[in-house]
């Protein structure tokens, strides 16, 4: 019956029904016409709202919007320009570096992509960059924001898979840095072939870099506070979200003095929209867990996949291929909610570290937000920049290829991914 419900869900999605309601309608059929009492569906929906670890999701979303309105983003743009504006491709590198820096203050790739399209997009076109190249750099580059802590996707994965969120946060640092290098390398090669000019005329002096970095010090040290606080038990990941909100308000009001009451209201309004969308999906998706448990889907999937291969690397390649395919059809939050309860038992049985798999899975899952036909980050950037889909897709292929290559490296070099978690928290 699970397969029929999944097909119903996909059919409703293609008919244009919002994701949350497509999930709700499809899987409510199991409780109305299947073996489970209908009242269990309501219990599951309500129960999803009572999770303390899940409280981190709305808290970090609000914190990210507050930091965007507190003057931190503008300072990070200046630092990104100083660090990378002298490289061929100019503002494309600035956008990618900004995504890396924004990863420490925002957990949403879509929010980061939309912000960059509004703030940097017009300047990128004026500097001579093609519209497709600019959109691809901003859209695919925003994947870094969802990798470097704090990441909303990692919080959801950790909650559903019962995996340490602190270790996941620490594990996102090395992949995030490697992704920044890979995407900037791709942007540089394309820029050199097309003779795109740098944004700055000369390499900045150490003093200029130091002054720009000092101006951003409160944003740069926030991820350090976050990981150290979780590591030494100062706060839980959920409490860290509350700390992030207080931190953003304190910096915006007392230090930079740019967080006015009007900006605070605007941040609350955007946060309410994002939180409402994500939490509604999570609430209605909670019905799925009971369905797949009753239908023994994890056990069936584990037997099928382990029957195909006993090699960990091949198994992860198969799973990533499947996730990348789904990413072209479904929103990343939905994929995490649907697959985490199914795949975690599979990879556990295969002896794969759950932190390692979580980071590989989230990178592959979030990449779907940058690919047609339903990539949310792609739509956000292309909509703001008025870029045709075919133009974006053609220009994004090299950037997407770089990320896929990094995913393969992450699969075959787990020690690289787990280096920081093992150093900070000890061997898992």
């Amino acid at each position: 019956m699970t397969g029929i419900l999944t097909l119903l869900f996909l059919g409703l999605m293609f008919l244009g029904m919002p994701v949350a309601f497509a999930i709700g309608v499809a899987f409510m059929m199991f409780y109305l016409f299947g073996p489970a009492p209908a009242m269990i569906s309501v219990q599951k929906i309500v129960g999803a709202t009572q999770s303390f670890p899940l409280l981190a999701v709305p808290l970090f979303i609000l914190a990210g919007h507050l930091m965007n309105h507190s003057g931190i983003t503008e300072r990070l743009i200046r630092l990104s320009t100083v660090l990378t504006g002298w490289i061929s491709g100019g503002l494309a590198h600035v956008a990618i570096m900004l995504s890396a820096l924004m990863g420490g203050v925002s957990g949403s790739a879509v929010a980061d992509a939309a912000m960059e399209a509004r703030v940097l997009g017009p300047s990128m076109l004026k500097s001579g960059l093609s519209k497709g190249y600019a959109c691809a750099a901003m859209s695919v580059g925003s994947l870094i924001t969802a990798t470097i802590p704090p990441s909303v996707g990692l919080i959801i994965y950790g909650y559903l898979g019962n995996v340490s969120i602190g270790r996941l946060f620490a594990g996102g640092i090395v992949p995030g840095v490697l992704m920044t290098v890979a995407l900037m390398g791709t942007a540089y090669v394309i820029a050199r072939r097309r003779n795109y000019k740098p944004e700055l005329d000369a390499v900045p002096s150490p003093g200029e870099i130091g002054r720009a970095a000092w101006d951003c010090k409160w944003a740069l040290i926030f991820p350090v506070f976050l990981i150290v606080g979780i590591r030494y038990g100062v706060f839980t990941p959920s409490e860290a979200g509350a700390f992030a909100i207080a931190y953003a308000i304190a910096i915006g009001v007392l230090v930079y003095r740019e967080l006015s009451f009007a900006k605070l209201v605007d941040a609350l309004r955007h946060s309410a929209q994002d939180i409402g969308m994500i939490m509604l999906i999570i609430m209605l998706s909670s019905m799925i867990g009971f369905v797949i448990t009753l239908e023994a889907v994890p056990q069936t999937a584990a037997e099928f996949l382990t029957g195909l291969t006993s090699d960990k690397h091949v198994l992860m390649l198969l799973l990533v291929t499947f996730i990348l395919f789904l990413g072209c059809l479904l929103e990343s939050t939905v994929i995490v909610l649907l697959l985490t309860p199914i795949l975690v038992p599979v990879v556990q049985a295969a002896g794969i570290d759950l932190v390692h798999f979580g980071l590989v899975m989230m990178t592959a899952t979030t990449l779907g937000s940058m690919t047609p036909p339903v990539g949310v980050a792609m739509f956000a950037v292309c909509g703001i920049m008025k870029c045709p889909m075919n133009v974006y897709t053609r220009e994004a292929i090299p950037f997407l290829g770089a990320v896929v290559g990094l995913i393969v490296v992450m699969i075959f070099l787990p020690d690289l991914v787990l280096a920081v978690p093992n150093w900070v928290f000890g061997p898992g």
Side-chain angles (χ1 to χ4, degrees):
M1 189 173 184
T2 306
I4 297 174
L5 297 178
T6 303
L7 291 175
L8 176 60
F9 159 65
L10 293 174
L12 294 174
M13 282 277 294
F14 284 118
L15 289 175
M17 181 176 286
V19 173
F21 297 112
I23 293 173
V25 170
F27 285 89
M28 182 63 76
M29 296 297 103
F30 180 86
Y31 296 91
L32 292 178
F33 302 106
M39 67 179 67
I40 293 181
S41 64
V42 180
Q43 294 172 354
K44 293 296 178 182
I45 293 172
V46 175
T49 67
Q50 309 303 306
S51 168
F52 183 73
L54 203 58
L55 184 61
V57 173
L59 291 176
F60 275 114
I61 290 173
L62 175 56
H65 282 291
L66 286 171
M67 290 186 183
N68 284 340
H69 287 75
S70 64
I72 288 177
T73 300
E74 290 80 0
R75 288 165 173 80
L76 291 177
I77 291 174
R78 288 200 291 270
L79 176 59
S80 301
T81 304
V82 170
L83 290 174
T84 63
W86 53 273
I87 307 173
S88 296
L91 287 174
H93 296 286
V94 173
I96 294 169
M97 179 58 67
L98 179 60
S99 292
L101 296 176
M102 285 298 296
V105 298
S106 168
S108 171
V110 177
D112 173 63
M115 178 274 294
E116 289 188 12
R118 293 190 186 95
V119 176
L120 292 177
S123 299
M124 294 175 81
L125 299 184
K126 288 180 182 178
S127 68
L129 304 183
S130 72
K131 187 174 289 188
Y133 175 77
C135 289
M138 289 185 290
S139 176
V140 182
S142 68
L143 177 59
I144 307 169
T145 303
T147 305
I148 294 178
S151 166
V152 173
L154 290 177
I155 295 171
I156 297 174
Y157 169 82
Y159 158 70
L160 292 174
N162 195 27
V163 184
S164 168
I165 295 174
R167 290 183 65 86
L168 288 168
F169 277 2
I173 294 175
V174 171
V177 172
L178 293 177
M179 199 178 302
T180 303
V181 174
L183 292 178
M184 287 184 65
T186 304
Y188 175 77
V189 171
I190 297 173
R192 291 287 292 178
R193 288 178 177 174
R194 300 180 182 179
N195 200 29
Y196 288 148
K197 302 300 181 184
E199 180 69 12
L200 302 178
D201 296 328
V203 179
S205 66
E208 291 175 307
I209 296 175
R211 284 189 294 273
W214 180 256
D215 201 29
C216 293
K217 59 184 178 295
W218 298 109
L220 297 177
I221 63 176
F222 173 68
V224 179
F225 285 156
L226 196 68
I227 293 175
V228 171
I230 294 174
R231 166 64 180 85
Y232 290 101
V234 178
F235 38 63
T236 65
S238 298
E239 293 166 345
F243 164 76
I245 292 173
Y247 186 89
I249 293 174
I251 298 302
V253 174
L254 301 177
V255 180
Y256 295 149
R257 300 183 180 180
E258 295 185 21
L259 186 61
S260 63
F261 180 76
K263 289 183 177 180
L264 176 62
V265 171
D266 194 44
L268 290 170
R269 179 170 58 84
H270 283 102
S271 299
Q273 293 172 345
D274 291 345
I275 292 168
M277 174 189 68
I278 292 175
M279 293 307 296
L280 187 60
I281 293 174
I282 291 174
M283 288 166 59
L284 294 176
S285 296
S286 64
M287 294 187 292
I288 300 174
F290 183 78
V291 173
I292 64 175
T293 301
L294 201 61
E295 296 272 292
V297 174
Q299 293 87 336
T300 305
E303 291 174 5
F304 173 73
L305 290 171
T306 53
L308 291 176
T309 178
S310 58
D311 187 281
K312 297 179 184 179
H313 300 134
V314 176
L315 176 61
M316 289 188 71
L317 286 172
L318 290 173
L319 293 177
V320 164
T321 303
F322 177 57
I323 291 168
L324 289 173
F325 170 73
L326 281 184
C328 296
L329 305 173
L330 301 175
E331 201 270 331
S332 58
T333 304
V334 178
I335 296 174
V336 177
L337 290 166
L338 287 173
L339 293 187
T340 300
I342 298 173
L343 297 185
V344 163
V346 174
V347 297
Q348 268 187 318
I352 299 170
D353 185 275
L354 292 183
V355 173
H356 175 217
F357 175 73
L359 289 161
V360 171
M361 175 182 173
M362 282 311 307
T363 304
T365 299
T366 311
L367 187 62
S369 297
M370 294 86 195
T371 59
V374 295
V376 182
M378 173 192 68
F379 280 130
V381 172
C382 290
I384 294 170
M385 298 284 287
K386 295 180 173 57
C387 178
M389 199 68 61
N390 62 319
V391 174
Y392 165 85
T393 303
R394 185 171 60 250
E395 296 275 19
I397 288 174
F399 293 98
L400 297 173
V403 176
V404 172
L406 176 61
I407 292 173
V408 174
V409 171
M410 291 169 63
I411 289 174
F412 284 92
L413 297 176
D415 290 340
L416 186 67
V417 178
L418 298 173
V420 176
N422 290 341
W423 175 60
V424 175
F425 294 91

